[in-house]
Amino acid sequence: MLLQKLGFNIPINAWIVFINSEFTLYQAPLDSPIIFPTQINRFLKKLDRNTSKITQKHRALAEKLVSLHIQESPYKQLPTYEYAQLQKGISCKMCGGISVLIEGKTCICTQCGQQEPVESAVLRSVKEFKLLFPNERITTNVIFDWCRVVKSKRKIGEILKRNYKIVGVHQWAYYE
Ligand SMILES: [Zn+2]
């Protein structure tokens, strides 16, 4: 449809390409036009071997398609949220539960038993915070409150210092 609208008349072969390497589709019919993660390399090589000479027409089409690429999905629907509404704490990297406790230098999930070093769990939480609040500055106080279960503010500060660049001094300092 799009190609016709653009005035290009070339045949199209369609495949469904699954790029998630952890994905499996059981009992997929053998003749279906599906490319699984383990087949992608072989498929690309085959495409390379089979392609005909690239002409000006192909280049024009490629440029047209690139120019029509939509960066932001019009179907993106984010719920509205505010910091105060969100449950604080560290989420489990395995099950996503928020009932994670700390013993020594280890986070332990009370739901699934998953263990993770506190430092990597805090850094994961910082990433989540940045994703949720891209305009907020990362400070010791902010992350201390966000992680909640880490009882030592000094420890949060040390983790941030080790992994981020500090900007500014004293109470105005933040990390990026
Ligand atoms: Zn868990």
Side-chain angles (χ1 to χ4, degrees):
M1 268 302 272
L2 176 67
L3 290 197
Q4 278 170 14
K5 218 163 68 186
L6 296 174
F8 290 93
N9 192 11
I10 53 177
I12 295 179
N13 297 315
W15 282 279
I16 304 168
V17 183
F18 290 103
I19 57 168
N20 181 345
S21 58
E22 312 253 321
F23 175 82
T24 312
L25 182 67
Y26 291 106
Q27 289 165 352
L30 284 173
D31 56 351
S32 51
I34 294 179
I35 311 294
F36 291 107
T38 51
Q39 304 172 314
I40 292 177
N41 275 336
R42 219 176 322 146
F43 180 74
L44 287 176
K45 278 187 192 139
K46 198 173 126 199
L47 270 188
D48 256 352
R49 277 199 303 275
N50 292 352
T51 41
S52 55
K53 206 164 177 307
I54 304 229
T55 65
Q56 197 48 43
K57 195 175 89 178
H58 294 117
R59 287 186 200 286
L61 173 59
E63 269 164 33
K64 190 74 203 166
L65 289 179
V66 169
S67 76
L68 291 174
H69 182 65
I70 299 167
Q71 212 54 261
E72 283 270 315
S73 166
Y75 305 107
K76 191 163 85 178
Q77 285 185 340
L78 285 180
T80 52
Y81 52 87
E82 278 171 41
Y83 182 79
Q85 311 167 308
L86 302 180
Q87 194 180 341
K88 314 299 183 294
I90 290 179
S91 67
C92 168
K93 73 168 184 181
M94 198 64 184
C95 72
I98 196 99
S99 345
V100 167
L101 298 177
I102 292 189
E103 268 178 37
K105 288 186 169 181
T106 309
C107 288
I108 299 166
C109 174
T110 55
Q111 273 174 36
C112 77
Q114 169 75 25
Q115 300 194 3
E116 184 184 16
V118 170
E119 177 144 346
S120 83
V122 167
L123 292 175
R124 223 164 27 78
S125 302
V126 174
K127 272 196 197 131
E128 284 172 5
F129 181 84
K130 285 169 78 152
L131 184 67
L132 288 166
F133 303 99
N135 300 323
E136 294 296 320
R137 284 184 167 171
I138 304 297
T139 68
T140 302
N141 281 330
V142 162
I143 298 305
F144 177 67
D145 190 58
W146 180 240
C147 290
R148 199 65 53 104
V149 288
V150 181
K151 293 291 171 229
S152 154
K153 200 183 270 193
R154 197 173 55 95
K155 192 159 196 172
I156 294 282
E158 285 168 6
I159 293 174
L160 290 175
K161 212 171 280 173
R162 264 199 296 278
N163 295 279
Y164 288 91
K165 198 175 115 228
I166 190 162
V167 181
V169 286
H170 305 306
Q171 66 264 48
W172 299 284
Y174 64 94
Y175 297 88
E176 56 184 26

